[in-house]
Amino acid sequence: MPVEITGFAQALARCPDFAAVDPLELEGVLTEATEPLEMEYAGASADSPLIRSGSLFTHVLFVQHGTLAPWQYPYSQLEAPFLIGDHEFLMDAERWVASYSAVTEAIVVWIPVAWMRLVVDRFPGVGEQMHQLVMRRLARFYWTSLATSGTPSSRVAAALVSRLALLGSDYGQDRTISIRQRDLTRLTTMSRSAVADGLATLVEGHAIRLGGDRPSRFSGVVLVPEVDLLKDHAFAEVRDRDIRSLLAQPDDE
């Protein structure tokens, strides 16, 4: 169904990509666009994805209500308000690089690429914010790749750093991470008991502390005194198993 510009700018401005844009100014720019916006209701379905990898990239998708998920690992839940396609937009891609489905009932708005180019041209900060958000997600993928192999402690450490990377705070001291144990099991592809062992090892190594009323038990809050120390634990397996052996190889020349 068609979308009226009035009020849509208010909803779009809630998206992190548009955090620094005044909704009234955004509405003024959107009124200059000529192509129509299209709103769509999407039921939860894995059989009929909203976006198929390899299809033509002509619109950016704004999730106005509900939750979508990409068909890729690590698994993510993209909750409204969320903009999908900023990566393809920044790359000036011709086709989508991933598939997405609604995992709850959702309301989405298809925004023509020409609209986004107009907005980025008028508000350069939007493009910069898009780039920062994309880089955070790419950093998260890097750390999550380390979370799927290695010892329980190295995998849990990498999963925790991946959450910090997504927030743009994977450096410095005294960081706080809120994460459910089931998310740690999913990110590390380990059992709950293995995750618990990994957390215990990190606590013993002073890489983390457990927050909450009972610090001896995991309550969903992890305190990180020094991010570099946590990264050292995350790197332990790949450093000792792969990097050292590569450095030790004799010169073939």
Side-chain angles (χ1 to χ4, degrees):
M1 68 180 70
V3 177
E4 295 292 336
I5 299 301
T6 304
F8 175 69
Q10 296 282 343
L12 191 61
R14 294 188 294 113
C15 187
D17 303 74
F18 299 88
V21 178
D22 181 86
L24 291 178
E25 294 183 11
L26 180 59
E27 184 175 320
V29 171
L30 294 181
T31 57
E32 300 178 25
T34 56
E35 296 183 54
L37 291 169
E38 291 292 333
M39 180 179 288
E40 179 179 353
Y41 165 79
S45 173
D47 297 323
S48 302
L50 277 173
I51 298 169
R52 290 185 180 274
S53 173
S55 60
L56 290 176
F57 176 67
T58 58
H59 292 70
V60 175
L61 187 64
F62 174 56
V63 184
Q64 187 165 328
H65 174 77
T67 304
L68 269 65
W71 293 16
Q72 60 195 36
Y73 190 84
Y75 174 77
S76 297
Q77 290 188 358
L78 310 178
E79 298 178 349
F82 198 89
L83 195 69
I84 298 176
D86 45 2
H87 192 180
E88 286 84 351
F89 176 78
L90 292 172
M91 293 190 306
D92 199 20
E94 293 184 359
R95 298 182 180 276
W96 286 93
V97 299
S99 297
Y100 298 81
S101 279
V103 293
T104 68
E105 293 184 349
I107 296 174
V108 300
V109 179
W110 295 94
I111 306 175
V113 169
W115 282 53
M116 293 303 304
R117 289 181 180 143
L118 177 62
V119 170
V120 170
D121 181 61
R122 297 295 180 85
F123 304 107
V126 171
E128 296 170 3
Q129 179 71 356
M130 281 184 178
H131 187 264
Q132 295 233 6
L133 293 171
V134 167
M135 290 304 295
R136 286 182 191 177
R137 293 198 291 272
L138 290 176
R140 179 202 176 209
F141 278 103
Y142 165 75
W143 285 104
T144 305
S145 71
L146 292 179
T148 56
S149 64
T151 63
S153 60
S154 72
R155 292 163 78 163
V156 170
L160 292 173
V161 177
S162 77
R163 184 58 59 93
L164 290 175
L166 189 60
L167 300 173
S169 57
D170 56 331
Y171 61 90
Q173 297 82 35
D174 298 324
R175 302 298 190 188
T176 300
I177 304 170
S178 297
I179 187 169
R180 296 170 298 184
Q181 188 167 10
R182 70 179 184 181
D183 291 329
L184 283 174
T185 62
R186 187 167 57 197
L187 286 169
T188 58
T189 65
M190 296 193 301
S191 65
R192 289 175 63 90
S193 61
V195 167
D197 290 342
L199 287 167
T201 300
L202 294 175
V203 170
E204 292 173 3
H206 306 289
I208 63 171
R209 299 194 304 271
L210 300 183
D213 297 332
R214 301 177 64 182
S216 60
R217 295 186 60 184
F218 182 73
S219 64
V221 177
V222 178
L223 308 176
V224 183
E226 174 62 58
V227 175
D228 280 347
L229 178 58
L230 184 62
K231 287 183 176 180
D232 285 342
H233 283 268
F235 284 137
E237 184 72 9
V238 68
R239 179 187 60 222
D240 295 338
R241 183 190 62 198
D242 298 322
I243 304 303
R244 291 192 188 282
S245 62
L246 286 172
L247 293 173
Q249 288 183 4
D251 193 343
D252 294 333
E253 296 181 358

